[in-house]
Amino acid sequence: MTDNTETTTPIVEKKSTDIHNEELWQFPMQYPIKIIGHASPELLGAVSDLLKQHFPLLDLAHLTVTQSSGGKYHSIAAVLPFENKEQVNAVYADLAASQHVKTAL
């Protein structure tokens, strides 16, 4: 008699904010990120608060804000000290959940 039982590997659902190609990431690392949102006084404050939650020692003076050519958007550039992939996933998930952030690269 043949055993027709198949062994399956559980499928782990990745969120769109989870990192891909994990083998390319080496931790700890200094990671450049650009966060884009509508030009508003609230954008910098919301992004600063979010980054301080994840990186309490981050010097916010190093954030660079650039206005788009049409003035409709601002981009905020930073270099973040990631320690592990869970931290990367958490930061991107929080940025995606922010009403002020359009995208993060």
Side-chain angles (χ1 to χ4, degrees):
M1 183 165 198
T2 309
D3 183 7
N4 289 334
T5 309
E6 292 184 30
T7 323
T8 58
T9 305
I11 297 174
V12 176
E13 293 292 325
K14 281 193 157 197
K15 295 180 281 192
S16 62
T17 54
D18 285 354
I19 64 171
H20 300 278
N21 302 319
E22 293 181 30
E23 66 279 1
L24 300 177
W25 294 71
Q26 296 179 10
F27 296 99
M29 68 187 313
Q30 296 293 314
Y31 184 77
I33 189 170
K34 186 174 283 191
I35 302 157
I36 301 168
H38 284 288
S40 72
E42 296 84 16
L43 177 63
L44 181 59
V47 169
S48 297
D49 290 347
L50 188 148
L51 294 179
K52 276 304 220 183
Q53 289 175 14
H54 291 278
F55 307 99
L57 301 178
L58 183 67
D59 183 358
L60 297 177
H62 292 289
L63 298 181
T64 304
V65 180
T66 306
Q67 184 173 320
S68 67
S69 59
K72 186 175 179 179
Y73 298 99
H74 282 169
S75 67
I76 300 171
V79 178
L80 304 179
F82 285 120
E83 296 295 324
N84 55 56
K85 73 176 186 176
E86 292 79 16
Q87 191 178 31
V88 175
N89 293 341
V91 168
Y92 274 96
D94 286 351
L95 288 168
S98 172
Q99 66 181 3
H100 301 287
V101 175
K102 295 299 278 180
T103 192
L105 310 168

